[in-house]
C-alpha cells in the first residue's frame, strides 16, 4: 500500500444524513471479482437518472467538484452493509478522505485498510463545512490534524495502529502474520476446540 | 478483592484474545468460525494467491453461495446465465477458490445450501461462545446463540483466511432490556424495528448489544435471530442473547453440534455464558414489549418506523434528510401508510426466511388471495427450510393464494440476482434495509414482519395482520 501522509484539496459536500453503502455503490455492481473499476459506480443512482443521463445538480457532477479529494457528508456516513466495494469505489473515483460527525464502524474499518481517511469532527466544524462547499482543507494524517482554509485547525481521532500503517504504507496482514506463533500456541492451549 | 462481574460479551471476547490490545496495537482476536460467500471473497482469495499464502484453517471455514444466485431452480452452473455473465463468473470463481484452498462449499448440489446466516445455525455450526465472522454485516444474526458474531470487510476476510485472526479494538457494551411480553400479532421483527426507532440507526455504533429481559427469554431461537440480525441496522458491531435451554434444545442433534459426552461438556461451558449480576454495561436502555403494535418503516432507513396504524410522523419535516426520504417514498406526513397501493410483497432474507417466519405469513394468508395487482414472492432461507415448509404444506398455501414459491437465496433483499422491485414500485418486505434503491433502482421499501407483509399482500395496502380473519 502507498503511504498516505497529507491530503490537500477542496471539499465536495453531501449534506444528507445516514448515507448508506447501497447509495455509495448499489449491490448490482458487486459482481466484479476485481478491486479496481468501481469508481464509475460510485453514488451511481444519485449521479445518473433512470435513462443514464447525468443529474447536473448532484454535487459530484458539478464542474467545481472535478479533482476534489475530500468529501464532507452528513452524520452517520457509510452505514449498512460490510461491502469494501464502498471505499474501493470512493478511492477509484478519487476521494481520499471523508469528513462527518459519525462514520459507521465497518465502513471506517474498511476505509482505513485501503488508505481512505475517515475523519470525525465536532458538530460546529461539521455544520460550517456543510455550509461552505469547495473550501480548501489540508489533512495531516501523522498529526491527526485537519486545517480548514489554511488557518482553522481541528484535531481528529484516528486509531494509533491504523495511522502507523497509513503513514508507513504497511498493510495490517504483515503484523498479523508475525503473530502466527502466538496463534498456534493459543490454539494448542485452549480448554475447548471449535 | 471482589472481581468485577463480566458481561456475556466480555466473557466471549476474553476467551479469544491471542494478544491483548495496547494503545499502539489492537487486540489479536481468534475466530472460531469463518463463513464465506461469493460476493465479498474473490479479492481476498486473490490476495492469498498473490502472496502464495494458504488458508490457515479450512476446517473452520464454511462456504456457500447465496447473494447473486437465482431463486428459480438451478441445477448446474449452466443455468446461471439468468443472473448475468458477471455474477456467473463470480459464482464460478467461488467454486474454484474453495477447491484450490480446500474449503468445504455448500454449493448447488448441497442439501445444506442457503443464506449464510440461515445455514450456520441450521447445521449447528453456530454455537454459544464462538467468535463468528463473515464478509456480511448481518453476521450479527449468530449472536442469538450467545456467539460474538460480526460482519467484516474483504481485507479482513483475507486476514482471517490467512491467520484465523482479526485485529480489533474492544467495543463498548449496550444492554437492551425488553420488559413484558409481545402481544398476539406482534413479533420479533416489530420489536427490533421499535428498538431501532428508539435508539436510532447510529444508536449502537461502537457497541455490542445484549438483548435481555422476559420478552427475549420467552422467544424461540428464530425470533432471537431476527432480533440480532438487525443489530447492525442500529449501527451496532454485534447483538447477543445469552444462551439458555431454548438455545440448547435448538442445537441438540444438529449435524455439527457436539455429540455424546462432548455435548454435555459443551452445555456446561455454555451455561456460564451469561452476564454476571454485578456486570456493568457502558450504556443501558429499556423498552416495553407489552405496548408494541406491528411496526412498519415509512422512510429510507430502518429507524424511520411507526406503528402500522399510525400516520407518517410530521415532527422532523424541517430536516432536509427527512423530507428527502419522504419524497423518495412518496408518503405524506400525517397520512397513514395504508393510503398507498402496494405493488410487491417479499417474504424472505436472513432476517425472516426461516420456518416460523414462513408459518406466520402462511397463517395470515391461508384462505385468502393475494390482491389483484400485487406480486408476492416467498423465498425460503435454505434448502432445509424449503423442504420443511413443503412437508407441512406451506408452499401450497402460498401458491394457492397466488404467491411465487422460490428456491433459497438472498433474492429481493438486495436485488443482486435479478429478483428486483420495479422503479417506483412499493414493496412491503420482511428484509432488513429500506435504503434508497436497495431492492432495485427507484424501489420503495416498507420493512415489516412476515404477518404484516402477508396481510398487506391480501389487502393490496399496508395492513395490520390482526385485522385479517
Amino acid at each position: 500500500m502507498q503511504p498516505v501522509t497529507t491530503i490537500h484539496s477542496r471539499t465536495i459536500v453531501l449534506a444528507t444524513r445516514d448515507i448508506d453503502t447501497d447509495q455509495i455503490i448499489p449491490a448490482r455492481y458487486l459482481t466484479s471479482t476485481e478491486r479496481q473499476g468501481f469508481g464509475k459506480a460510485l453514488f451511481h443512482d444519485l449521479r445518473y437518472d433512470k435513462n443514464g443521463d447525468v443529474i447536473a445538480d448532484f454535487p459530484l457532477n458539478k464542474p467545481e467538484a472535478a479533482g476534489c479529494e475530500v468529501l464532507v457528508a452528513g452524520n452517520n456516513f457509510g452505514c449498512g452493509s460490510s461491502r469494501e466495494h464502498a471505499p474501493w469505489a470512493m478511492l477509484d473515483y478519487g476521494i481520499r478522505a471523508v469528513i462527518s460527525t459519525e462514520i459507521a464502524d465497518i465502513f471506517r474499518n474498511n476505509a482505513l485498510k485501503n488508505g481512505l481517511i475517515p475523519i470525525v469532527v465536532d458538530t460546529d466544524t461539521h455544520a460550517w463545512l456543510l455550509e461552505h462547499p469547495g473550501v480548501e482543507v489540508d489533512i495531516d494524517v501523522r498529526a491527526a490534524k485537519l486545517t480548514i482554509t489554511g488557518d482553522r485547525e481541528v484535531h481528529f481521532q484516528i486509531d494509533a495502529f491504523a495511522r502507523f500503517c497509513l503513514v508507513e504504507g504497511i498493510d495490517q496482514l504483515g503484523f498479523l502474520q508475525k503473530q502466527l506463533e502466538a496463534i498456534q500456541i493459543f490454539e494448542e492451549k485452549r480448554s475447548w476446540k471449535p | 478483592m471482589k472481581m468485577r462481574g463480566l458481561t456475556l460479551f466480555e466473557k466471549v471476547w476474553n476467551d479469544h484474545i491471542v494478544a491483548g490490545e495496547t494503545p499502539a496495537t489492537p487486540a489479536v482476536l481468534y475466530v472460531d468460525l469463518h463463513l464465506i460467500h461469493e460476493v465479498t471473497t474473490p479479492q481476498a482469495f486473490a490476495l492469498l494467491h498473490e502472496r502464495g499464502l494458504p488458508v490457515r484453517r479450512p476446517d473452520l471455514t464454511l462456504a456457500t453461495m447465496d447473494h447473486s444466485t437465482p431463486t428459480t431452480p438451478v441445477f448446474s452452473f449452466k443455468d446461471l446465465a439468468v443472473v448475468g455473465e458477471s455474477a456467473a463468473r463470480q459464482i464460478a470463481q467461488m467454486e474454484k477458490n474453495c477447491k484450490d484452498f480446500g474449503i468445504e462449499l455448500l454449493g448447488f448440489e448441497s442439501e445444506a445450501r442457503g443464506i449464510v446466516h440461515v445455514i450456520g445455525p441450521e447445521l449447528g455450526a453456530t454455537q454459544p461462545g464462538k467468535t463468528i465472522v463473515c464478509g456480511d454485516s448481518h453476521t450479527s444474526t449468530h449472536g442469538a446463540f450467545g456467539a460474538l458474531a460480526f460482519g467484516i470487510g474483504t481485507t479482513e476476510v483475507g486476514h482471517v483466511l490467512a491467520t484465523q485472526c482479526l485485529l480489533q479494538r474492544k467495543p463498548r457494551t449496550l444492554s437492551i432490556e425488553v420488559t413484558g411480553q409481545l402481544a398476539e400479532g406482534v413479533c420479533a421483527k416489530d420489536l427490533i424495528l421499535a428498538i431501532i426507532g428508539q435508539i436510532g440507526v447510529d444508536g449502537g455504533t461502537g457497541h455490542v448489544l445484549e438483548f435481555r429481559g422476559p420478552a427475549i427469554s420467552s422467544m424461540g431461537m428464530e425470533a432471537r435471530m431476527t432480533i440480532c440480525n438487525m443489530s447492525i441496522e442500529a449501527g451496532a458491531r454485534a447483538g447477543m442473547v445469552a444462551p439458555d435451554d431454548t438455545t440448547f434444545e435448538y442445537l441438540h442433534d444438529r449435524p455439527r453440534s457436539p455429540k455424546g459426552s462432548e455435548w454435555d461438556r459443551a452445555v456446561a461451558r455454555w451455561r456460564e455464558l451469561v452476564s454476571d449480576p454485578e456486570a456493568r454495561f457502558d450504556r443501558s436502555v429499556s423498552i416495553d414489549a407489552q405496548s408494541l403494535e406491528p411496526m412498519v418503516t415509512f422512510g429510507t432507513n430502518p429507524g424511520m418506523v411507526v406503528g402500522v396504524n399510525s400516520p407518517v410522523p410530521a415532527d422532523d419535516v424541517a430536516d432536509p434528510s427527512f423530507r428527502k426520504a419522504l419524497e423518495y417514498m412518496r408518503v405524506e406526513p400525517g397520512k397513514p401508510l395504508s393510503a398507498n397501493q402496494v405493488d410487491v410483497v417479499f417474504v424472505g432474507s436472513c432476517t425472516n426466511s426461516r420456518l416460523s417466519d414462513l408459518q406466520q405469513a402462511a397463517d395470515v394468508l391461508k384462505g385468502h388471495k393475494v390482491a389483484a395487482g400485487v406480486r408476492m414472492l416467498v423465498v425460503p432461507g435454505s434448502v432445509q427450510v424449503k423442504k420443511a415448509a413443503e412437508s407441512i404444506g406451506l408452499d401450497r398455501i402460498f401458491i394457492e393464494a397466488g404467491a411465487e414459491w422460490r428456491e433459497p437465496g438472498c433474492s429481493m433483499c438486495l436485488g443482486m440476482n435479478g429478483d428486483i422491485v420495479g422503479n417506483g414500485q412499493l414493496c412491503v418486505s420482511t428484509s432488513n434495509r429500506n435504503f434508497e434503491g436497495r431492492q432495485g433502482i427507484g424501489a420503495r421499501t416498507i420493512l415489516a414482519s412476515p404477518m404484516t407483509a402477508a396481510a398487506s399482500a391480501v389487502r393490496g395496502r399496508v395492513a395490520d395482520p390482526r385485522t385479517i380473519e
Side-chain angles (χ1 to χ4, degrees), chain B residues 215-340:
Chain B
I216 303 296
S217 305
S218 59
M219 262 179 200
M221 290 314 298
E222 299 191 346
R224 293 179 192 179
M225 284 188 245
T226 300
I227 302 272
C228 289
N229 171 275
M230 289 190 72
S231 302
I232 179 67
E233 308 316 330
R237 214 58 197 94
M240 299 176 86
V241 174
D244 59 12
D245 287 334
T246 306
T247 319
F248 310 145
E249 198 179 306
Y250 177 98
L251 285 174
H252 191 64
D253 271 342
R254 297 265 163 187
R256 300 186 189 199
S257 296
K259 302 287 180 309
S261 61
E262 272 189 46
W263 169 260
D264 297 331
R265 276 200 299 279
V267 171
R269 180 166 55 82
W270 295 343
R271 285 199 191 280
E272 302 295 316
L273 297 172
V274 289
S275 289
D276 296 328
E278 64 277 24
R280 278 198 301 269
F281 291 86
D282 294 300
R283 280 169 60 209
S284 299
V285 297
S286 75
I287 185 165
D288 178 28
Q290 211 82 38
S291 57
L292 287 182
E293 54 173 345
M295 303 298 285
V296 286
T297 59
F298 60 87
T300 54
N301 73 54
M304 301 177 84
V305 63
V306 283
V308 66
N309 299 308
S310 305
V312 173
D315 14 324
D316 293 327
V317 286
D319 173 6
S321 296
F322 183 87
R323 282 204 308 275
K324 178 173 175 281
L326 263 51
E327 273 163 31
Y328 180 85
M329 288 301 293
R330 298 185 213 159
V331 297
E332 282 182 50
K335 288 204 176 155
L337 282 169
S338 57
N340 302 275

Side-chain angles (χ1 to χ4, degrees), chain A residues 15-18 20-23 26-35 38 44-46 50 75-76 79-85 88 102-106 108-110 113-114 159-162 164 171-177 179-180 182-184 186-187 190-194, chain B residues 15-19 23-26 28 30 32 39-40 42-43 47 51 53 56-57 60 68 86-87 90 93 129-130 135-137 151-156 159 162-163 165-167 169 201-202 205-207 232 235 237 269 301 319 321-322 324 414 416 423 433 435-436 438 441:
Chain A
T16 312
R17 275 192 285 118
D18 308 313
D20 55 72
T21 53
D22 278 272
Q23 289 180 69
R28 63 184 186 280
Y29 295 110
L30 307 186
T31 53
S32 165
T33 54
E34 308 290 323
R35 266 175 196 260
F38 291 108
H44 187 279
D45 298 347
L46 301 171
K50 62 182 175 191
N75 184 55
N76 194 31
C79 59
S81 90
S82 65
R83 62 189 70 162
E84 199 159 320
H85 313 68
W88 291 339
E102 187 162 37
I103 295 174
D105 287 334
I106 307 179
R108 191 191 59 242
N109 276 333
N110 287 340
K113 289 184 174 61
N114 288 278
D159 179 72
F161 180 72
F164 172 77
D171 82 41
Q172 302 186 8
L173 179 56
F175 178 83
L176 265 175
Q177 284 179 294
Q179 308 285 325
L180 280 172
I183 294 167
Q184 194 166 342
F186 174 88
E187 285 174 328
R190 298 185 77 169
S191 59
W192 63 280
K193 309 280 181 229
Chain B
D15 193 32
H16 291 85
I17 299 301
V18 174
T25 52
V28 177
Y30 195 81
D32 293 326
V39 177
T40 56
Q43 297 88 350
L47 181 79
R51 300 198 185 179
L53 296 171
R56 180 173 159 74
R57 293 293 301 264
L60 301 182
S68 49
S86 162
Q90 190 173 60
Q93 186 69 46
K130 277 191 178 180
D136 191 288
S137 60
I152 56 176
T154 298
T155 299
E156 291 181 315
H159 292 178
T163 68
C165 286
L166 276 175
L167 292 168
R169 292 286 179 189
V201 288
D202 57 352
T205 303
H207 291 77
I232 179 67
R237 214 58 197 94
R269 180 166 55 82
N301 73 54
D319 173 6
S321 296
F322 183 87
K324 178 173 175 281
L414 80 169
M416 268 194 85
N423 200 336
R433 289 187 174 138
F435 297 155
E436 282 186 29
R438 169 82 175 178
I441 303 169

Side-chain angles (χ1 to χ4, degrees), chain B residues 36-57:
Chain B
I36 61 175
H37 66 72
E38 75 278 16
V39 177
T40 56
T41 55
Q43 297 88 350
F45 281 114
L47 181 79
L48 297 196
H49 271 303
E50 271 164 36
R51 300 198 185 179
L53 296 171
V55 171
R56 180 173 159 74
R57 293 293 301 264

Side-chain angles (χ1 to χ4, degrees), chain B residues 18-133:
Chain B
V18 174
E21 79 181 291
T22 69
T25 52
V28 177
L29 185 76
Y30 195 81
V31 172
D32 293 326
L33 176 62
H34 187 196
L35 300 166
I36 61 175
H37 66 72
E38 75 278 16
V39 177
T40 56
T41 55
Q43 297 88 350
F45 281 114
L47 181 79
L48 297 196
H49 271 303
E50 271 164 36
R51 300 198 185 179
L53 296 171
V55 171
R56 180 173 159 74
R57 293 293 301 264
D59 58 320
L60 301 182
T61 313
L62 183 61
T64 193
M65 302 187 289
D66 52 7
H67 278 63
S68 49
T69 54
T71 55
T72 46
V74 180
F75 302 104
S76 77
F77 287 96
K78 288 200 298 288
D79 300 324
L80 287 169
V82 286
V83 290
E85 201 184 317
S86 162
R89 207 165 39 235
Q90 190 173 60
I91 288 166
Q93 186 69 46
M94 184 67 173
E95 200 189 39
K96 183 178 185 306
N97 285 333
C98 289
K99 208 176 197 173
D100 289 353
F101 288 95
I103 294 167
E104 180 184 9
L105 171 65
L106 304 173
F108 291 115
E109 298 79 23
S110 172
E111 291 285 290
R113 191 179 78 84
I115 304 176
V116 66
H117 309 308
V118 174
I119 64 172
E122 200 172 74
L123 289 166
T126 300
Q127 293 166 16
K130 277 191 178 180
T131 44
I132 302 175
V133 301

